[in-house]
Every structure is written in structure tokens, then in C-alpha cells.
Amino acid sequence: QVQLVESGGGLAQAGESLRLSCALSGSFFNMYTIRWYRQAPGKQRELVAGINTSGRTNYADSVKGRFTISRDNAEKTAYLQMRNLKREDTAIYYCNTDWAGNGYWGQGTQVTVSS
């Protein structure tokens, strides 16, 4: 059974930074691709960043150069470092992975950016 737990969200001023964490329970964390999604009020959930088992990363255009996804296989945790936050980054952020055809989601963590 795979469970994901996000943490690190909160309130930030525009231009500040936050770091989100995604802890995975279960074995073989190093074999999972981890993704961060976000969903703003009234909008569809969108992919923010992903990191595969080799450490290769990808980002949405809207966060390139500001957000960094990383992973610590020993800690079974993935991170999303968010810098130079903007009001439009306000959303619930979800951690996601998939395994054997099943998708797994965390409960989400709220990020609110004020100007």
C-alpha cells in the first residue's frame, strides 16, 4: 500500500519561498516517479513538476526557474522548493505517484500567496 503525505504549505508573501515535502510510506521509493500537481479555486488540477527514478525533472512553464523538485531516496521523501512565489501560485498542492497501473495521491497542502 502506497500512501503520500504532503506538508510545508502555508501563507507567504509574494517573492518569498516555501518548501513542500511529500513523504511516501511503502517500499522501493527509488522506483517511483513523483509528481507535484496543484489546483487553484475554480481551475483544473495541473501538473507543476515531476522527477523520475533517474532524477530527471520536468516543470510547467509557469514555474520554470522558480520551483525545484528533488528527492531523497533514503528519506523516502520528495520536495518542491518554491521561490519567488506569485499570487497565481495560490492553490492546493498534491503529491502523486503511480505503481502497477494505480495512481496515488496525497491529501494536499494549501499554499496561499498574498501580495
Side-chain angles (χ1 to χ4, degrees):
Q1 182 73 16
V2 175
Q3 290 185 323
L4 302 169
V5 178
E6 303 97 336
S7 61
L11 179 63
Q13 297 283 333
E16 293 184 340
S17 301
L18 285 174
R19 189 178 78 158
L20 307 183
S21 298
C22 171
L24 184 147
S25 65
S27 302
F28 311 118
F29 175 80
N30 59 306
M31 297 177 69
Y32 294 94
T33 289
I34 304 295
R35 305 172 191 90
W36 284 97
Y37 284 79
R38 68 186 181 187
Q39 187 166 19
K43 295 188 177 181
Q44 290 189 328
R45 193 170 295 189
E46 63 173 353
L47 177 64
V48 175
I51 184 167
N52 70 5
T53 57
S54 300
R56 181 172 294 181
T57 59
N58 63 283
Y59 298 93
D61 287 343
S62 58
V63 306
K64 279 181 182 177
R66 300 189 298 120
F67 290 12
T68 303
I69 188 172
S70 61
R71 64 191 299 156
D72 184 332
N73 290 337
E75 295 295 324
K76 295 198 291 184
T77 301
Y79 303 96
L80 185 68
Q81 177 69 53
M82 305 185 295
R83 297 180 178 88
N84 190 22
L85 284 162
K86 303 177 180 180
R87 286 192 64 183
E88 52 263 41
D89 295 319
T90 295
I92 299 174
Y93 284 72
Y94 297 92
C95 187
N96 162 266
T97 191
D98 51 72
W99 183 257
N102 297 310
Y104 298 91
W105 295 87
Q107 82 288 352
T109 186
Q110 176 71 49
V111 171
T112 302
V113 184
S114 61
S115 58

